[in-house]
Amino acid sequence: IVFVACASLPRTLAPRQPPGPKLYVFDCGHISTNDAGLFSDGGEYKGRRLEFPVRCYLVRHPKGDLQWDTGLSDTSVKNGRTGLVIEGFHLVHTNAYLQQLKALGVEPDTVEYLAMSHGHFDHTGNANYFGAATFLVQGDEYDAMFAAKPPVFFDPATYSELQKSKVVRLSGDYDVFGDGSVVIKRAAGHTPGSQVLFLKLARSGPIVLSGDLWHFEENRKFSRVP
């Protein structure tokens, strides 16, 4: 029997790169209208059909989780009301967001940060799930959301719990985790304090999540604010 002693050879290891953020996209409903004229002062879209996929986003970063937009309210799913009509918009929501999150192994009360593109009901529908999170919101948007008489399409019932949350009132851009990979950028216009989310992802590169910043290609091409 021959025993061979093997010495460990020194190796030069490449430094481990810290993992970047990951983006998860969820189905949070669908909206359609047969008259998109509401989105143009010029009236050129009057009578034009428009389809909106409603999305919720979870950004998972080594330093914490950020929930971005919360879609249509799960109460419409629980109550079986999948054909609501509000102000000429037909709303359908069949896949409760809470169940989608739990399928990923995430409980809403463990999410560290909540931010939304703006305060309209199709972006705040499930915000009350995230009352334990720190709410990142432009100051003028917060004032509109909790005004005695909120603007049209704001539904305070969908975000009432956020009055108890820790709030960071923003007045411009905000680097959520301090490394430039998840940055909230002010984009007022659609509402008083609309904002978009810039992400720098390892595979996809830089992307922007823009809730209702544009509804048509013409909005962007001709700098028309919806």
Side-chain angles (χ1 to χ4, degrees), residues 16-22 60-64 179 181 200-202:
R16 182 180 178 183
Q17 297 298 318
K22 293 183 178 180
R60 310 211 74 179
H61 187 279
K63 293 183 179 180
D179 61 2
S181 65
K200 190 174 182 180
L201 304 176

Side-chain angles (χ1 to χ4, degrees), residues 202-218:
R203 293 184 179 179
S204 304
I207 66 170
V208 171
L209 303 181
S210 57
D212 292 341
L213 188 62
W214 302 295
H215 295 91
F216 300 99
E217 291 182 6
E218 293 91 339

Side-chain angles (χ1 to χ4, degrees), residues 31 39 52-55 57 67-72 114-127 135-138 140-146 151-155 158-159 162 184-197 209-215 226:
I31 300 176
F39 299 100
F52 294 97
V54 182
R55 298 288 181 257
Y57 305 91
Q67 174 67 42
W68 179 264
D69 278 353
T70 63
L72 295 175
L114 167 67
M116 295 174 286
S117 57
H118 60 290
H120 286 170
F121 68 89
D122 52 324
H123 298 263
T124 66
N126 297 301
F135 184 30
L136 308 176
V137 57
Q138 302 294 323
D140 41 10
E141 190 75 1
Y142 186 91
D143 292 340
M145 291 171 69
F146 293 104
V152 66
F153 298 126
F154 283 64
D155 182 1
T158 62
Y159 51 78
L162 302 185
I184 293 172
K185 302 188 76 66
R186 181 173 172 84
H190 185 58
T191 61
S194 292
Q195 53 190 18
V196 301
L197 187 66
L209 303 181
S210 57
D212 292 341
L213 188 62
W214 302 295
H215 295 91

Side-chain angles (χ1 to χ4, degrees), residues 45-78:
Y45 306 128
K46 187 174 179 59
R48 180 170 167 179
R49 183 170 177 80
L50 189 61
E51 303 278 344
F52 294 97
V54 182
R55 298 288 181 257
C56 300
Y57 305 91
L58 181 69
V59 180
R60 310 211 74 179
H61 187 279
K63 293 183 179 180
D65 292 339
L66 167 67
Q67 174 67 42
W68 179 264
D69 278 353
T70 63
L72 295 175
S73 174
D74 281 357
T75 58
S76 61
V77 177
K78 295 175 184 176

